[in-house]
């Protein structure tokens, strides 16, 4: 029998998967995600699952090496945000499947990692505050469901009680899936849904670790419980972590409903399971999806998170995603599709100071949430102990070679430290190589009594507080240099540590967290990423039983709350804000919600100074913070918003040189780009304006015209007037310069004419200048960042 007719050529498939096919031998299997064009289903099949099954079975006839065991079964079947399935295949089978009629793409299933409460008060959402219009208008999000794609949830925590909550929203169609140590009784009117997804993970790993992974929605990692309670936890009094950060712990939208989708396990999160989580969440009826998971940036059509998010957006679901923790490196931001709201991290006005006092009297302030009975912890027992740099204590280091170093011992890797040199000393360890808290464990095993974890380039001056197992603290890059200089210039360096309590009212605040991933987006220069920043440093939130706060096996401490940092923590802040905005404005689209957050964001701190970058404490840039720090009380009444439809995104993809097939892989729609040359990627109706000036043959100032359309969401008629802060080397004019709106929902458009002088750039370096465009009616200020990028050659980044 002849093989089925083929519509795709093998080389086309290889362009996206060559790196995998080269490394897999003929018989090895891995999981793949297969996108299918369902409207091509032959009529002989009663449903698409029958068609999918027949398609998989047909592979057996053309591959005699393929067995007929359970590997033939689907891992997942996707029906809502994505049409298709996932399954285990050999590389040869995957290549063959890509050529079948109706198969749009065959993507390797990748492993991703998580981006690992005073913050509501800091953002003006304290229910006792006079600034609580958003909380009041939305009833704290009581009719909104947040789907949290993460490591599950620990339902017994008081953050998830349902006392005083009304009936579950009538639109909800989800369920509480029974699993190991998880029953339907674990759900209530707060946690209204819980599911778990294992197929992709098991296909990759072969099995689960029974001591660390539970086959249910129950959280055994902590991350999911922390993010869910950050977004929507109920108020819990007298909360703290080991006495630090005492107060009331409450989520951003305390009455919003939570649906937990456990897609991540001990060793990570598989794309196929994440996509299944998206599919079920939208089918169940969530309004918001919060996902603090990421990977490397890839084109949208090869990114299952981008693909799942597009399908969710089409159904009216707002997607909040973490920007990543690879800062301060430029172009490190992830989750960059324009239909996703990408969230970077900032500090709040709370710190946990701890001091290292050197033998010469120099006091260096760092950060720690160490709590212990060691004599070093007693400030009255001011005991100086020998101080050594890990790089000078390498196993096998020659006696007397004090300035020799190795990366392993400098970063205090396991078994790298010479016990004779370390015993009884405080050890300075460079960051990197191992988790920060594990360095203390390694120092203790080598006989050390204290640990100092020092930032190195390019980490800069940013600090997070860690719950060290032995007396320990973190210090900045400049402080680390000072400490190493002291050690290397003294024959008998000594130090002691002192630990303080929680400090609030810290200034300046907020600042951009040094670890927060930065723009510009590697996928499109015309879409500003990250979109906004939100609190993500030293955030107190709920934590499961049985999970150590450091997640180290040797850590026997247990606590109801934990302090964690990362864009994983900033993402659920915006998820909660989106729930409040959806509650206050039920008919707002996902783009309108994001617009409200972006155009009302602030770029000055509480003292009226420009927001700073924690890395250097220089002024932060738009590439660091996007439109700025979210401002909930202004976002509830933004005046004007920039709406975007699914068709607008299609036009953007066409203008960005995505092929018709690429677009089908993302959108389930026809990939035809009608009037392709009439669309420009910078004309996507985004709340920020980003354009590129290509200077290869530029002899005179370049002119770019940008069109935007705003929707009036105010209750009364209003007139808005424009003002512009020009980027350096640019002259901007706006037509018309004023707009008069007579009724709510009215739309008007304006044109921005950008005239840019020529700038000297190289093929490796571009120049970025930033200004802003603001529409104001005297009360509201609708602000858009205005970004101009000079590049040497013409290329639309996709």
């Amino acid at each position: 029998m002849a093989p089925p007719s083929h519509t795709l050529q093998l080389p086309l498939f290889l362009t996206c998967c060559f790196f995998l096919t080269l490394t897999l031998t003929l018989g090895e299997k891995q999981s793949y995600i297969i996108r299918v064009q369902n409207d091509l289903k032959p009529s002989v099949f009663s449903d698409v699952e029958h068609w999918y099954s027949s398609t998989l079975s047909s592979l057996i006839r053309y591959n005699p090496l393929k067995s007929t065991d359970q590997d033939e079964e689907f891992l997942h079947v996707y029906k809502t945000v994505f049409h298709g399935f996932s399954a285990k295949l050999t590389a040869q089978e995957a290549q063959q499947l890509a050529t079948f009629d109706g198969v749009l793409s065959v993507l390797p299933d990748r492993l991703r990692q998580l981006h690992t409460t005073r913050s509501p008060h800091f953002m003006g959402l304290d229910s006792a505050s006079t600034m609580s219009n958003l909380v009041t208008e939305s009833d704290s999000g009581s009719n909104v469901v947040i789907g949290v794609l993460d490591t599950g949830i620990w339902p017994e925590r008081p953050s998830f009680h349902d006392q005083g909550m009304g009936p579950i929203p009538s639109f909800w169609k989800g369920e509480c899936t029974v699993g190991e140590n998880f029953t339907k009784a674990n759900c209530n009117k707060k946690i209204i849904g819980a599911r778990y997804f294992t197929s992709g993970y098991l296909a990759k790993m072969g099995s689960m670790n029974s001591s660390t992974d539970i086959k249910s929605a129950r959280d055994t990692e902590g991350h999911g419980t922390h993010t869910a309670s950050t977004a929507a936890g109920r108020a819990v009094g007298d909360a703290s972590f080991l006495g630090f950060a005492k107060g009331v712990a409450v989520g951003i939208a305390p009455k919003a409903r939570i649906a937990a989708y456990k897609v991540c396990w001990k060793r990570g999160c598989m794309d196929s399971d994440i996509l299944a989580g998206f599919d079920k969440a939208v089918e169940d009826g969530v309004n918001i999806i919060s996902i603090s998971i990421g990977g490397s940036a890839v084109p949208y059509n090869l990114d299952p998170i981008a693909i799942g998010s597009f399908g969710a957006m089409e159904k009216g679901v707002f997607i909040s995603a973490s920007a990543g923790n690879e800062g301060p490196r430029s172009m490190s931001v992830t989750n960059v599709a324009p239909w996703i709201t990408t969230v970077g991290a900032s500090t709040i006005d709370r710190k946990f100071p701890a001091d290292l006092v050197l033998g010469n009297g120099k006091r260096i302030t760092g950060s720690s949430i160490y709590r212990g009975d060691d004599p070093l912890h007693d400030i009255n027992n001011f005991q100086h102990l020998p101080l050594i740099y890990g790089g000078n204590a390498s196993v096998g280091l020659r006696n007397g070679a004090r300035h020799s170093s190795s990366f392993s011992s400098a970063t205090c890797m396991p078994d790298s430290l010479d016990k004779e040199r370390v015993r009884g000393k405080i050890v300075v360890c460079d960051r990197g190589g191992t988790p920060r808290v594990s360095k203390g464990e390694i120092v203790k095993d080598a006989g050390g009594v204290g640990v100092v974890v020092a930032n190195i380039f390019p980490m800069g001056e940013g600090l997070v507080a860690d719950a060290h197992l032995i007396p320990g603290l973190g210090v900045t890059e400049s402080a680390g240099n000072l400490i190493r200089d002291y050690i290397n210039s003294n024959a008998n360096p000594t130090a002691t540590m002192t630990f303080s309590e929680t400090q609030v009212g810290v200034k300046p605040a907020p600042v951009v967290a040094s670890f927060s991933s930065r723009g510009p987006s590697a996928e499109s220069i015309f879409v500003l990423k990250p979109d906004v920043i939100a609190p993500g440093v030293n955030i107190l939130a709920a934590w499961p039983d049985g999970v150590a706060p450091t997640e180290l096996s040797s850590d026997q401490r247990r606590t109801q709350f934990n302090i964690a940092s990362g864009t994983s923590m900033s993402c659920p802040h915006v998820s909660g804000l989106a729930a409040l905005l959806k509650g206050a404005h039920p008919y707002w689209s996902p783009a309108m919600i994001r617009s409200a957050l972006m155009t009302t964001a602030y770029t000055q701190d509480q003292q009226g100074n420009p927001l700073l970058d924690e890395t250097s404490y220089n002024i932060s840039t738009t590439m660091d913070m996007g439109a700025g720090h979210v401002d909930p009380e202004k976002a509830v009444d933004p005046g004007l918003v920039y709406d975007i439809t699914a068709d607008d995104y299609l036009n953007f993809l066409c203008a960005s040189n995505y092929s018709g097939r690429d677009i089908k892989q993302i959108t389930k729609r026809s990939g035809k780009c009608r009037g392709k040359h009439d669309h420009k990627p910078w004309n996507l109706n985004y709340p920020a304006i980003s354009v590129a000036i290509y200077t290869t043959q530029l002899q005179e100032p370049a002119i770019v015209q940008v069109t935007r359309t705003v929707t009036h969401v105010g209750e009364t008629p209003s007139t808005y007037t424009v003002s512009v802060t020009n980027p350096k080397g640019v002259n901007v004019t706006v037509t018309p310069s004023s707009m008069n709106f007579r009724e709510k929902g009215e739309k008007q458009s304006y044109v921005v004419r950008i005239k840019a002088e020529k700038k000297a750039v190289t093929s490796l370096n571009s120049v970025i200048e930033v200004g802003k465009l603001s529409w104001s009616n005297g009360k509201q200020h609708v602000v858009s960042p205005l970004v101009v990028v000079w590049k040497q050659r013409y290329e639309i980044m996709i």
Side-chain angles (χ1 to χ4, degrees):
M1 182 182 294
S5 61
H6 298 169
T7 58
L8 296 181
Q9 296 301 311
L10 181 58
L12 185 60
F13 170 75
L14 287 174
T15 60
C16 67
C17 305
F18 71 93
F19 56 95
L20 285 157
T21 59
L22 289 175
T23 58
L24 292 173
T25 60
L26 185 65
E28 290 179 320
K29 289 186 178 182
Q30 73 161 76
S31 52
Y32 289 85
I33 301 169
I34 296 88
R35 177 122 202 178
V36 180
Q37 187 173 343
N38 278 358
D39 58 8
L40 294 183
K41 177 183 71 67
S43 59
V44 68
F45 298 110
S46 59
D47 55 42
V48 293
E49 288 188 52
H50 186 197
W51 181 34
Y52 298 166
S53 181
S54 176
T55 301
L56 274 185
S57 298
S58 71
L59 293 174
I60 302 172
R61 294 195 290 267
Y62 306 110
N63 184 1
L65 295 180
K66 188 181 190 306
S67 65
T68 57
D69 61 16
Q70 62 182 1
D71 285 342
E72 182 185 331
E73 299 176 358
F74 302 125
L75 300 177
H76 297 288
V77 173
Y78 309 106
K79 300 178 180 179
T80 307
V81 301
F82 181 90
H83 289 164
F85 59 92
S86 53
K88 288 187 72 174
L89 304 168
T90 66
Q92 184 186 48
E93 291 166 345
Q95 292 168 8
Q96 183 187 13
L97 187 60
T99 66
F100 283 16
D101 283 331
V103 174
L104 293 173
S105 63
V106 181
L107 301 178
D109 195 4
R110 297 186 300 162
L111 183 71
R112 296 177 184 252
Q113 299 298 326
L114 296 157
H115 284 155
T116 346
T117 308
R118 182 173 172 80
S119 49
H121 172 81
F122 181 72
M123 296 193 297
L125 290 172
D126 190 334
S127 59
S129 169
T130 58
M131 297 289 287
S132 57
N133 293 333
L134 178 53
V135 173
T136 302
E137 289 185 35
S138 67
D139 188 26
S140 298
S142 62
N143 205 43
V144 179
V145 182
I146 303 175
V148 183
L149 274 61
D150 214 294
T151 63
I153 197 165
W154 194 270
E156 292 82 7
R157 280 292 172 253
S159 298
F160 306 124
H161 75 79
D162 66 352
Q163 296 173 18
M165 295 194 71
I168 293 172
S170 58
F171 59 78
W172 180 246
K173 301 187 292 293
E175 67 176 39
C176 193
T177 303
V178 174
E180 186 179 346
N181 198 20
F182 201 99
T183 69
K184 291 186 182 298
N186 289 125
C187 290
N188 54 19
K189 288 185 288 186
K190 178 63 175 179
I191 302 173
I192 64 172
R195 298 181 186 268
Y196 65 100
F197 305 86
T198 63
S199 298
Y201 187 78
L202 288 172
K204 172 73 172 180
M205 303 300 175
S207 63
M208 286 191 169
N209 187 328
S210 59
S211 64
T212 57
D213 285 323
I214 293 179
K215 275 191 167 184
S216 73
R218 184 168 293 278
D219 183 11
T220 57
E221 300 298 320
H223 195 275
T225 299
H226 198 282
T227 57
S229 61
T230 298
R234 306 298 302 277
V236 180
D238 198 27
S240 74
F241 171 72
L242 303 178
F244 291 103
K246 289 181 181 179
V248 176
V250 61
I252 301 300
K255 286 188 181 179
R257 318 303 172 126
I258 295 171
Y261 298 87
K262 186 175 179 179
V263 298
C264 296
W265 305 84
K266 185 65 176 179
R267 289 181 281 178
C269 329
M270 294 301 295
D271 275 342
S272 58
D273 294 334
I274 294 170
L275 193 54
F278 268 102
D279 209 53
K280 276 298 179 185
V282 175
E283 181 182 325
D284 289 344
V286 303
N287 306 107
I288 313 293
I289 287 179
S290 184
I291 180 166
S292 294
I293 303 168
S296 57
V298 295
Y300 311 135
N301 62 309
L302 303 182
D303 181 0
I305 289 181
I307 294 168
S309 295
F310 188 93
M313 173 276 301
E314 283 191 294
K315 300 289 186 179
V317 178
F318 177 92
I319 313 298
S320 173
S322 49
N325 301 332
E326 300 302 318
R329 179 167 55 87
S330 177
M331 296 183 72
S332 56
V333 62
T334 63
N335 294 321
V336 296
W339 44 88
I340 294 174
T341 298
T342 311
V343 187
S346 61
T347 66
I348 60 175
D349 63 340
R350 180 176 64 195
K351 286 188 176 181
F352 305 97
D355 290 344
L356 180 75
V357 183
L358 302 178
N360 61 7
K362 177 70 175 178
R363 181 178 293 268
I364 296 171
T365 299
S367 184
S368 179
I369 46 176
Y370 168 75
R371 183 76 80 193
D373 298 324
D374 192 283
L376 276 174
H377 182 246
D378 185 356
I379 194 170
N380 298 314
N381 186 356
F382 206 71
Q383 181 183 6
H384 278 263
L385 294 172
L387 180 69
I388 190 170
Y389 174 48
N392 297 341
S394 177
V395 171
L397 193 65
R398 261 191 345 268
N399 288 335
R402 293 178 58 250
H403 298 288
S404 298
S405 178
S406 73
F407 175 80
S408 294
S409 62
T411 55
C412 299
M413 300 282 281
D415 303 318
S416 66
L417 297 174
D418 186 330
K419 293 183 178 181
E420 293 300 318
R421 293 176 175 274
V422 166
R423 186 175 294 114
K425 297 180 181 179
I426 298 172
V427 182
V428 179
C429 306
D430 293 341
R431 275 184 66 176
T434 59
R436 297 183 304 273
V437 288
S438 68
K439 296 180 189 294
E441 183 180 42
I442 293 163
V443 167
K444 181 181 180 181
D445 290 344
V449 296
V451 63
V452 177
V453 180
N455 286 0
I456 59 174
F457 181 82
M459 299 167 187
E461 305 304 289
L463 289 176
V464 296
D466 290 316
H468 292 283
L469 292 174
I470 63 173
L473 54 83
V475 298
T476 67
E477 183 182 329
S478 61
N481 293 335
L482 190 153
I483 295 167
R484 284 185 289 269
D485 288 344
Y486 166 73
I487 291 172
N488 291 329
S489 61
N490 284 269
N492 297 295
T494 63
T496 191
M497 299 181 192
T498 64
F499 298 89
S500 305
E501 297 301 321
T502 307
Q503 180 182 352
V504 297
V506 172
K507 299 176 183 178
V511 300
V512 179
S514 60
F515 59 77
S516 186
S517 289
R518 314 301 167 99
S521 165
E523 299 309 310
S524 177
I525 200 70
F526 306 106
V527 178
L528 179 67
K529 294 290 177 177
D531 292 299
V532 290
I533 56 173
V537 178
N538 297 333
I539 303 301
L540 179 76
W543 198 251
D545 284 340
V547 181
T550 62
E551 301 180 58
L552 297 176
S553 59
S554 61
D555 187 356
Q556 299 303 307
R557 298 171 297 181
R558 298 295 182 265
T559 178
Q560 287 199 18
F561 294 89
N562 198 7
I563 291 172
S565 299
T567 55
S568 279
M569 283 68 245
S570 56
C571 167
H573 279 82
V574 169
S575 306
L577 288 179
L580 295 179
L581 291 172
K582 187 70 173 178
H585 303 287
Y587 301 105
W588 277 13
S589 70
M592 293 169 78
I593 294 173
R594 176 179 54 204
S595 175
L597 291 169
M598 290 181 69
T599 62
T600 61
Y602 60 84
T603 57
Q604 294 181 323
D605 64 24
Q606 293 180 326
Q607 284 67 55
N609 300 315
L611 294 186
L612 302 180
D613 177 359
E614 190 184 34
T615 308
S616 60
Y617 279 90
N618 292 326
I619 295 175
S620 63
T621 71
T622 300
M623 295 301 115
D624 303 330
M625 61 179 171
H629 193 285
V630 290
D631 189 335
E633 287 306 316
K634 288 184 179 178
V636 72
D637 186 19
L640 304 173
V641 294
Y642 295 85
D643 198 9
I644 307 176
T645 68
D647 286 340
D648 294 330
Y649 289 121
L650 292 179
N651 290 336
F652 166 79
L653 293 172
C654 287
S656 299
N657 284 348
Y658 277 81
S659 70
R661 188 174 188 82
D662 294 338
I663 293 171
K664 275 189 179 181
Q665 292 167 1
I666 299 167
T667 69
K668 298 185 299 187
R669 297 182 176 210
S670 169
K672 293 181 180 179
C673 292
R674 296 181 176 86
K676 177 175 180 177
H677 298 294
D678 296 331
H679 302 298
K680 306 298 181 185
W682 51 84
N683 277 335
L684 178 68
N685 204 41
Y686 218 70
I689 296 173
S690 299
V691 302
I693 305 298
Y694 301 98
T695 63
T696 304
Q697 296 178 330
L698 188 64
Q699 301 299 323
E700 56 187 36
I703 296 175
V704 179
Q705 287 201 160
V706 179
T707 301
R708 287 291 186 270
T709 300
V710 289
T711 303
H712 179 49
V713 293
E715 298 295 334
T716 59
S718 191
T719 298
Y720 286 82
T721 303
V722 73
S723 63
V724 175
T725 300
N726 286 317
K728 186 178 179 180
V730 176
N731 181 264
V732 177
T733 56
V734 180
T735 305
S737 59
S738 66
M739 293 184 289
N740 182 32
F741 294 90
R742 297 183 178 181
E743 59 184 7
K744 186 176 181 178
E746 183 181 350
K747 296 179 182 290
Q748 292 193 37
S749 298
Y750 63 90
V751 175
V752 182
R753 186 175 184 269
I754 299 169
K755 184 177 181 181
E757 66 184 31
K758 184 174 182 179
K759 287 185 180 285
V761 297
T762 70
S763 59
L764 298 177
N765 296 298
S766 57
V767 175
I768 300 176
E769 299 289 356
V770 180
K772 66 179 180 180
L773 182 153
S774 177
W775 291 95
S776 177
N777 61 359
K779 175 186 176 183
Q780 285 112 339
H781 298 274
V782 186
V783 182
S784 295
L786 205 167
V787 181
V788 180
V789 181
W790 283 262
K791 297 174 66 66
Q792 188 181 66
R793 62 186 181 278
Y794 185 86
E795 59 175 12
I796 293 180
M797 301 170 66
I798 62 170

